[in-house]
Amino acid sequence: MVENRAIRSIVIIGGGTAGWLAANHLGKKLSNTEISIRLIESKNIPTIGVGEGTVPEMRNTLMYFGIRETDFMQKCHATFKQSIKFVDWVDSGNNDYYHHVFDPPRTRFNDLSAYWIKKEVKKTTYANAISAQSHLCDDFKAPKLITTPEFDGGANYAYHLDAAKFSMMLKENATKKYGVIHIEDEVLEACLNSLGYIDSVRLMSGSDIEADFFVDCSGFSSLLVGDALKVPFIDKGKYLFVDTALTVQVPYENLACEVPPYTISTAKKNGWIWDIGLTNRKGIGYVYSSKYTDDSQAEETLRKYLGPESNIDGARKIPMKIGYREKFWEKNCVAIGLSAGFVEPLEATGLLAFDVSSRLLAEKIPTHFNDLDKIEKQYNKYVKYIWDRIIDFVKLHYFISRRRDSQFWLDNVSEDSAPDTLKERLDLWKRAVPTTFDFFSRFDVFNLDNYLYVLYGMKHLPELDDIRLKYCDDELAEAEFSRIRKESQSLNERLPGHRELLDKINKYGFQVC
């Protein structure tokens, strides 16, 4: 039986973005308590990062932590992200693209999708028809003005950021604002008691650090949940085939160049390439499957994308384990970050999962040992649901593609390559437009709008019968589309260029309200 005593100390193993996100969430929630928080970080272990993109929820997190948007953008070389531009995902080699934008449909009606399928599909893309944001992206426009209050915008947005600098900012915020104690050392092993709970961790310096509760942010090595507590890893490679990333940082030849206000994701024969613009450089990476191609071919694919004169000698190869732990919370320890699981960075799911699970932990952290078991069960249920829905959404992009130019894509569209939950949804939507009732949980991190933009951006349309088409009020729909077009034009005219706004932010900052 677990000892009935209070939890008075928490130790986080590992820094990086995951560790410092956890430190901030716990520090914020527990700032008025007597519970101490320490983070142990080794300077000899490099941070693993395979993307520098976020989702719009990051704005709420920064506000919650009390971080100014001006400081964040200036210190992290951040740029605005309004979309993911998917190139060659529908078919191969046509330079065809669609935008998965962040703005919800700008309509006063529940849905215009059926009418778009009925009459507009051959005239314009889905995103162009129901949102202003794809026009903003194609015209390299910012989502707001320099006079717009911090974290507000004329269009919804997320960020691109320098992950290393972001971790440093989170570290400063956690230690100065919430009193998190930072210890530079390397954890060698965890010491368990007779009941299998972690009592302490042994450091390279020779000391032992005791605590009541531990957070494992040790990356793929998973020192606590994996090595010490022996929680198995559930491999999801049968659904998502990519397992390696080849990344490179590319400086701009001209710092005055325009910066796309979106992530570019370009599909290739055996994977895809991300292209992210910061204020001072680009981050580019080829995500591929080692089963379908080798490293030399991968290097050639990346070099060809960058241009014949490109130098990828400094490219970093990162192996990736796709899947998650059978349990995220075991005994008195929770895994967050790569120690908990990893899904390829196609929709910036890494930081999203780290952020959401850290916030959930902070909200559910018990104050007594005898509450551990019941909260552990609830936490594991919620976080598993989040990871499974992320896998469903990422797999969607591959599963409905029309590419057939390699075995990689042929295998990706086979029936046994997709989770049953995804196939059930797609079967439901064969003759119907998705609705909000298909997304019943608050832990559906990707919701109706996300699915609509991807489904219809990839031209995966339902076969609507006459009865469903008669749901449309043609006159009202045409008037609504006309209103959206006018609003889009007006917004486009009001908003500045992306680089123009970035330069103003770095020079003046946003106004303080």
Side-chain angles (χ1 to χ4, degrees), residues 409-427:
W409 289 99
L410 289 169
D411 289 350
N412 256 304
V413 299
S414 66
E415 280 294 311
D416 60 356
S417 77
D420 289 340
T421 45
L422 174 60
K423 289 187 288 188
E424 287 168 5
R425 277 183 165 172
L426 291 175
D427 188 58

PDB file of all heavy atoms in Angstrom, residues 409-427:
ATOM      1  N   TRP A 409       4.238   5.385 -51.149  1.00  0.00           N
ATOM      2  CA  TRP A 409       2.872   5.914 -51.250  1.00  0.00           C
ATOM      3  C   TRP A 409       1.867   4.799 -51.494  1.00  0.00           C
ATOM      4  O   TRP A 409       0.736   4.858 -50.978  1.00  0.00           O
ATOM      5  CB  TRP A 409       2.800   6.975 -52.340  1.00  0.00           C
ATOM      6  CG  TRP A 409       3.514   8.224 -51.928  1.00  0.00           C
ATOM      7  CD1 TRP A 409       4.770   8.614 -52.278  1.00  0.00           C
ATOM      8  CD2 TRP A 409       3.030   9.226 -51.025  1.00  0.00           C
ATOM      9  NE1 TRP A 409       5.101   9.800 -51.659  1.00  0.00           N
ATOM     10  CE2 TRP A 409       4.052  10.199 -50.890  1.00  0.00           C
ATOM     11  CE3 TRP A 409       1.842   9.399 -50.328  1.00  0.00           C
ATOM     12  CZ2 TRP A 409       3.910  11.325 -50.081  1.00  0.00           C
ATOM     13  CZ3 TRP A 409       1.685  10.527 -49.514  1.00  0.00           C
ATOM     14  CH2 TRP A 409       2.718  11.470 -49.397  1.00  0.00           C
ATOM     15  N   LEU A 410       2.223   3.788 -52.242  1.00  0.00           N
ATOM     16  CA  LEU A 410       1.316   2.659 -52.456  1.00  0.00           C
ATOM     17  C   LEU A 410       0.982   1.975 -51.132  1.00  0.00           C
ATOM     18  O   LEU A 410      -0.174   1.637 -50.856  1.00  0.00           O
ATOM     19  CB  LEU A 410       1.944   1.655 -53.424  1.00  0.00           C
ATOM     20  CG  LEU A 410       2.038   2.092 -54.897  1.00  0.00           C
ATOM     21  CD1 LEU A 410       2.910   1.113 -55.680  1.00  0.00           C
ATOM     22  CD2 LEU A 410       0.645   2.175 -55.520  1.00  0.00           C
ATOM     23  N   ASP A 411       1.997   1.787 -50.301  1.00  0.00           N
ATOM     24  CA  ASP A 411       1.767   1.141 -49.009  1.00  0.00           C
ATOM     25  C   ASP A 411       0.987   2.046 -48.058  1.00  0.00           C
ATOM     26  O   ASP A 411       0.229   1.563 -47.200  1.00  0.00           O
ATOM     27  CB  ASP A 411       3.097   0.750 -48.371  1.00  0.00           C
ATOM     28  CG  ASP A 411       3.771  -0.410 -49.099  1.00  0.00           C
ATOM     29  OD1 ASP A 411       3.121  -1.022 -49.964  1.00  0.00           O
ATOM     30  OD2 ASP A 411       4.957  -0.676 -48.820  1.00  0.00           O
ATOM     31  N   ASN A 412       1.157   3.348 -48.210  1.00  0.00           N
ATOM     32  CA  ASN A 412       0.474   4.294 -47.325  1.00  0.00           C
ATOM     33  C   ASN A 412      -1.032   4.339 -47.544  1.00  0.00           C
ATOM     34  O   ASN A 412      -1.776   4.785 -46.663  1.00  0.00           O
ATOM     35  CB  ASN A 412       1.062   5.702 -47.498  1.00  0.00           C
ATOM     36  CG  ASN A 412       1.976   6.092 -46.350  1.00  0.00           C
ATOM     37  OD1 ASN A 412       1.561   6.071 -45.198  1.00  0.00           O
ATOM     38  ND2 ASN A 412       3.211   6.438 -46.664  1.00  0.00           N
ATOM     39  N   VAL A 413      -1.496   3.927 -48.707  1.00  0.00           N
ATOM     40  CA  VAL A 413      -2.939   3.966 -48.974  1.00  0.00           C
ATOM     41  C   VAL A 413      -3.579   2.587 -48.825  1.00  0.00           C
ATOM     42  O   VAL A 413      -4.781   2.438 -49.065  1.00  0.00           O
ATOM     43  CB  VAL A 413      -3.243   4.533 -50.379  1.00  0.00           C
ATOM     44  CG1 VAL A 413      -2.729   5.960 -50.495  1.00  0.00           C
ATOM     45  CG2 VAL A 413      -2.639   3.666 -51.478  1.00  0.00           C
ATOM     46  N   SER A 414      -2.809   1.587 -48.432  1.00  0.00           N
ATOM     47  CA  SER A 414      -3.391   0.267 -48.223  1.00  0.00           C
ATOM     48  C   SER A 414      -4.271   0.287 -46.980  1.00  0.00           C
ATOM     49  O   SER A 414      -4.013   1.024 -46.019  1.00  0.00           O
ATOM     50  CB  SER A 414      -2.289  -0.785 -48.086  1.00  0.00           C
ATOM     51  OG  SER A 414      -1.538  -0.573 -46.902  1.00  0.00           O
ATOM     52  N   GLU A 415      -5.306  -0.536 -46.987  1.00  0.00           N
ATOM     53  CA  GLU A 415      -6.302  -0.517 -45.915  1.00  0.00           C
ATOM     54  C   GLU A 415      -5.703  -0.828 -44.548  1.00  0.00           C
ATOM     55  O   GLU A 415      -6.104  -0.261 -43.532  1.00  0.00           O
ATOM     56  CB  GLU A 415      -7.415  -1.525 -46.230  1.00  0.00           C
ATOM     57  CG  GLU A 415      -8.431  -1.025 -47.222  1.00  0.00           C
ATOM     58  CD  GLU A 415      -9.245   0.146 -46.686  1.00  0.00           C
ATOM     59  OE1 GLU A 415      -9.766   0.057 -45.552  1.00  0.00           O
ATOM     60  OE2 GLU A 415      -9.336   1.171 -47.390  1.00  0.00           O
ATOM     61  N   ASP A 416      -4.732  -1.731 -44.501  1.00  0.00           N
ATOM     62  CA  ASP A 416      -4.173  -2.111 -43.210  1.00  0.00           C
ATOM     63  C   ASP A 416      -3.139  -1.122 -42.679  1.00  0.00           C
ATOM     64  O   ASP A 416      -2.567  -1.325 -41.615  1.00  0.00           O
ATOM     65  CB  ASP A 416      -3.566  -3.511 -43.277  1.00  0.00           C
ATOM     66  CG  ASP A 416      -2.447  -3.619 -44.313  1.00  0.00           C
ATOM     67  OD1 ASP A 416      -2.196  -2.628 -45.024  1.00  0.00           O
ATOM     68  OD2 ASP A 416      -1.831  -4.700 -44.412  1.00  0.00           O
ATOM     69  N   SER A 417      -2.915  -0.038 -43.413  1.00  0.00           N
ATOM     70  CA  SER A 417      -1.934   0.961 -42.968  1.00  0.00           C
ATOM     71  C   SER A 417      -2.573   2.086 -42.168  1.00  0.00           C
ATOM     72  O   SER A 417      -1.864   2.989 -41.699  1.00  0.00           O
ATOM     73  CB  SER A 417      -1.197   1.558 -44.170  1.00  0.00           C
ATOM     74  OG  SER A 417      -2.006   2.508 -44.845  1.00  0.00           O
ATOM     75  N   ALA A 418      -3.892   2.075 -42.001  1.00  0.00           N
ATOM     76  CA  ALA A 418      -4.576   3.158 -41.293  1.00  0.00           C
ATOM     77  C   ALA A 418      -5.279   2.614 -40.052  1.00  0.00           C
ATOM     78  O   ALA A 418      -5.802   1.498 -40.059  1.00  0.00           O
ATOM     79  CB  ALA A 418      -5.586   3.835 -42.208  1.00  0.00           C
ATOM     80  N   PRO A 419      -5.316   3.390 -38.969  1.00  0.00           N
ATOM     81  CA  PRO A 419      -6.039   2.965 -37.765  1.00  0.00           C
ATOM     82  C   PRO A 419      -7.531   2.802 -38.058  1.00  0.00           C
ATOM     83  O   PRO A 419      -8.097   3.510 -38.898  1.00  0.00           O
ATOM     84  CB  PRO A 419      -5.799   4.120 -36.780  1.00  0.00           C
ATOM     85  CG  PRO A 419      -4.609   4.851 -37.303  1.00  0.00           C
ATOM     86  CD  PRO A 419      -4.658   4.694 -38.787  1.00  0.00           C
ATOM     87  N   ASP A 420      -8.171   1.876 -37.363  1.00  0.00           N
ATOM     88  CA  ASP A 420      -9.605   1.643 -37.564  1.00  0.00           C
ATOM     89  C   ASP A 420     -10.424   2.900 -37.275  1.00  0.00           C
ATOM     90  O   ASP A 420     -11.441   3.153 -37.941  1.00  0.00           O
ATOM     91  CB  ASP A 420     -10.084   0.503 -36.664  1.00  0.00           C
ATOM     92  CG  ASP A 420      -9.567  -0.853 -37.126  1.00  0.00           C
ATOM     93  OD1 ASP A 420      -9.172  -0.964 -38.304  1.00  0.00           O
ATOM     94  OD2 ASP A 420      -9.552  -1.789 -36.307  1.00  0.00           O
ATOM     95  N   THR A 421      -9.991   3.687 -36.279  1.00  0.00           N
ATOM     96  CA  THR A 421     -10.742   4.899 -35.928  1.00  0.00           C
ATOM     97  C   THR A 421     -10.769   5.891 -37.082  1.00  0.00           C
ATOM     98  O   THR A 421     -11.777   6.554 -37.324  1.00  0.00           O
ATOM     99  CB  THR A 421     -10.139   5.560 -34.683  1.00  0.00           C
ATOM    100  OG1 THR A 421      -8.702   5.607 -34.809  1.00  0.00           O
ATOM    101  CG2 THR A 421     -10.510   4.803 -33.427  1.00  0.00           C
ATOM    102  N   LEU A 422      -9.670   6.003 -37.820  1.00  0.00           N
ATOM    103  CA  LEU A 422      -9.641   6.886 -38.983  1.00  0.00           C
ATOM    104  C   LEU A 422     -10.509   6.326 -40.094  1.00  0.00           C
ATOM    105  O   LEU A 422     -11.288   7.056 -40.725  1.00  0.00           O
ATOM    106  CB  LEU A 422      -8.206   7.077 -39.469  1.00  0.00           C
ATOM    107  CG  LEU A 422      -8.033   7.859 -40.777  1.00  0.00           C
ATOM    108  CD1 LEU A 422      -8.591   9.273 -40.654  1.00  0.00           C
ATOM    109  CD2 LEU A 422      -6.566   7.902 -41.202  1.00  0.00           C
ATOM    110  N   LYS A 423     -10.407   5.033 -40.352  1.00  0.00           N
ATOM    111  CA  LYS A 423     -11.197   4.430 -41.427  1.00  0.00           C
ATOM    112  C   LYS A 423     -12.696   4.537 -41.134  1.00  0.00           C
ATOM    113  O   LYS A 423     -13.496   4.746 -42.047  1.00  0.00           O
ATOM    114  CB  LYS A 423     -10.774   2.976 -41.622  1.00  0.00           C
ATOM    115  CG  LYS A 423      -9.395   2.825 -42.257  1.00  0.00           C
ATOM    116  CD  LYS A 423      -9.063   1.398 -42.607  1.00  0.00           C
ATOM    117  CE  LYS A 423      -8.777   0.570 -41.389  1.00  0.00           C
ATOM    118  NZ  LYS A 423      -8.268  -0.778 -41.738  1.00  0.00           N
ATOM    119  N   GLU A 424     -13.065   4.416 -39.879  1.00  0.00           N
ATOM    120  CA  GLU A 424     -14.475   4.551 -39.509  1.00  0.00           C
ATOM    121  C   GLU A 424     -14.988   5.955 -39.804  1.00  0.00           C
ATOM    122  O   GLU A 424     -16.108   6.129 -40.310  1.00  0.00           O
ATOM    123  CB  GLU A 424     -14.657   4.223 -38.028  1.00  0.00           C
ATOM    124  CG  GLU A 424     -14.521   2.741 -37.713  1.00  0.00           C
ATOM    125  CD  GLU A 424     -14.408   2.477 -36.229  1.00  0.00           C
ATOM    126  OE1 GLU A 424     -14.524   3.444 -35.442  1.00  0.00           O
ATOM    127  OE2 GLU A 424     -14.184   1.311 -35.847  1.00  0.00           O
ATOM    128  N   ARG A 425     -14.184   6.958 -39.493  1.00  0.00           N
ATOM    129  CA  ARG A 425     -14.599   8.327 -39.791  1.00  0.00           C
ATOM    130  C   ARG A 425     -14.711   8.561 -41.297  1.00  0.00           C
ATOM    131  O   ARG A 425     -15.688   9.142 -41.779  1.00  0.00           O
ATOM    132  CB  ARG A 425     -13.598   9.325 -39.191  1.00  0.00           C
ATOM    133  CG  ARG A 425     -13.845   9.633 -37.732  1.00  0.00           C
ATOM    134  CD  ARG A 425     -12.881  10.672 -37.196  1.00  0.00           C
ATOM    135  NE  ARG A 425     -13.350  11.197 -35.919  1.00  0.00           N
ATOM    136  CZ  ARG A 425     -12.647  12.010 -35.145  1.00  0.00           C
ATOM    137  NH1 ARG A 425     -11.431  12.390 -35.526  1.00  0.00           N
ATOM    138  NH2 ARG A 425     -13.145  12.455 -34.004  1.00  0.00           N
ATOM    139  N   LEU A 426     -13.733   8.100 -42.047  1.00  0.00           N
ATOM    140  CA  LEU A 426     -13.765   8.293 -43.497  1.00  0.00           C
ATOM    141  C   LEU A 426     -14.948   7.558 -44.121  1.00  0.00           C
ATOM    142  O   LEU A 426     -15.563   8.060 -45.076  1.00  0.00           O
ATOM    143  CB  LEU A 426     -12.455   7.830 -44.116  1.00  0.00           C
ATOM    144  CG  LEU A 426     -11.223   8.676 -43.791  1.00  0.00           C
ATOM    145  CD1 LEU A 426      -9.958   8.038 -44.361  1.00  0.00           C
ATOM    146  CD2 LEU A 426     -11.378  10.091 -44.331  1.00  0.00           C
ATOM    147  N   ASP A 427     -15.277   6.401 -43.586  1.00  0.00           N
ATOM    148  CA  ASP A 427     -16.441   5.666 -44.091  1.00  0.00           C
ATOM    149  C   ASP A 427     -17.728   6.439 -43.801  1.00  0.00           C
ATOM    150  O   ASP A 427     -18.640   6.490 -44.640  1.00  0.00           O
ATOM    151  CB  ASP A 427     -16.488   4.285 -43.448  1.00  0.00           C
ATOM    152  CG  ASP A 427     -17.552   3.395 -44.069  1.00  0.00           C
ATOM    153  OD1 ASP A 427     -17.490   3.172 -45.300  1.00  0.00           O
ATOM    154  OD2 ASP A 427     -18.450   2.942 -43.341  1.00  0.00           O
TER     155      ASP A 427
END
